Amino acid sequence: VIVTEFNGVCTGFLVSGVNRIYRLSWTDVEAPGQFLQNMSRSSVTGVVRLEERVIFLLDLEAIVAELHPAMALRFDAADMAASDGKTYTILHVDDSSSIRSLLLNLLNKEGRFTVTQKVNGQDAWEYLQGLTQKGGQISSHVGVIVSDVEMPRMDGHRLLKLVRADDRLSDVPLVLFSSLISDEMRIKGDQLGASGQIAKPEINQLIGLLDNLIFGKPLTDEQSNVG
């Protein structure tokens, strides 16, 4: 049994056996192509070529949600902030198609966000670099970046480090939104300059944090404890 812990839930996966454990960098992981995404119903988040073999990384969040819908991430629309008529842009970065769909649904329901989504940190970084070439205020193109941590090609921590080191992007708020946020992860994110850190089960707190980062609206006591 392989025991995992993410989104505040422990899950056991029964497997036939474990032959060997490899330690890999996210730079060794390739993003899956569109054909593989379609064939796997978006259950594969990465591909590793190892010793003449091709290994698929599974989207465990999506798999658990399909096997046990009661454990799927959800948001409560009643907890969202009231619209003030303003619209601003969000860059969302996550390798999980299920999380991208969930967050897009949340932000669209709020009715005042324009959302651009990328599947890994490298794609997001290249997109941001393209925006900086356009000139003008970067805030007119991206109001906040919301990024997962573990992703193929480039993880969220590396993306955060690059953003903070770029004078053209350093002031853009970047929120780490991951199923693996822990006390240790929060320390690393704070050291790198994260504007906020939210575990995915705390998705209902995201709108309040975005309002605080862009408009300076005060957080509730519950929201301020999110990170």
Side-chain angles (χ1 to χ4, degrees):
V1 177
I2 297 178
V3 179
T4 65
E5 182 178 1
F6 54 88
N7 294 335
V9 176
C10 288
T11 306
F13 293 88
L14 183 63
V15 298
S16 59
V18 178
N19 297 323
R20 183 176 174 183
I21 297 175
Y22 295 87
R23 295 188 180 276
L24 302 172
S25 167
W26 280 109
T27 57
D28 300 321
V29 182
E30 303 173 18
Q34 190 60 50
F35 176 76
L36 178 57
Q37 285 282 74
N38 293 338
M39 291 296 293
S40 68
R41 292 189 299 173
S42 299
S43 62
V44 173
T45 60
V47 177
V48 178
R49 303 182 189 278
L50 191 64
E51 297 178 356
E52 299 183 350
R53 291 180 296 167
V54 176
I55 300 173
F56 297 151
L57 274 64
L58 301 179
D59 185 347
L60 296 183
E61 290 169 319
I63 293 172
V64 168
E66 183 171 342
L67 294 176
H68 198 320
M71 295 173 63
L73 292 183
R74 291 182 173 83
F75 62 86
D76 183 358
D79 291 338
M80 295 190 297
S83 174
D84 57 8
K86 296 182 180 180
T87 300
Y88 54 94
T89 56
I90 303 293
L91 172 60
H92 177 224
V93 192
D94 202 300
D95 60 332
S96 170
S97 62
S98 61
I99 297 299
R100 290 197 305 272
S101 297
L102 179 67
L103 196 60
L104 185 62
N105 192 15
L106 168 63
L107 297 177
N108 283 341
K109 280 183 177 295
E110 179 64 5
R112 53 196 174 97
F113 298 96
T114 299
V115 184
T116 298
Q117 294 185 309
K118 300 296 178 182
V119 299
N120 57 66
Q122 184 64 41
D123 287 354
W125 178 243
E126 293 172 359
Y127 173 75
L128 290 169
Q129 289 296 290
L131 292 180
T132 60
Q133 303 302 316
K134 295 182 178 181
Q137 292 290 331
I138 192 67
S139 59
S140 64
H141 303 293
V142 177
V144 174
I145 302 168
V146 178
S147 177
D148 191 11
V149 173
E150 294 194 338
M151 297 177 289
R153 301 184 67 199
M154 182 191 293
D155 64 33
H157 283 151
R158 175 62 177 167
L159 175 62
L160 172 58
K161 185 175 181 179
L162 290 175
V163 167
R164 291 292 173 257
D166 191 317
D167 292 338
R168 299 163 299 181
L169 298 167
S170 58
D171 292 335
V172 177
L174 193 154
V175 176
L176 295 176
F177 179 58
S178 170
S179 58
L180 302 177
I181 294 294
S182 62
D183 290 341
E184 292 76 16
M185 291 279 278
R186 288 185 190 278
I187 292 173
K188 184 172 183 179
D190 288 341
Q191 291 173 341
L192 291 172
S195 306
Q197 300 182 72
I198 296 183
K200 287 178 178 175
E202 299 165 341
I203 188 172
N204 284 331
Q205 307 300 322
L206 185 59
I207 296 296
L209 180 56
L210 295 179
D211 279 337
N212 173 259
L213 292 173
I214 292 182
F215 299 123
K217 291 183 178 179
L219 298 175
T220 65
D221 290 340
E222 183 180 8
Q223 291 168 340
S224 64
N225 291 328
V226 170

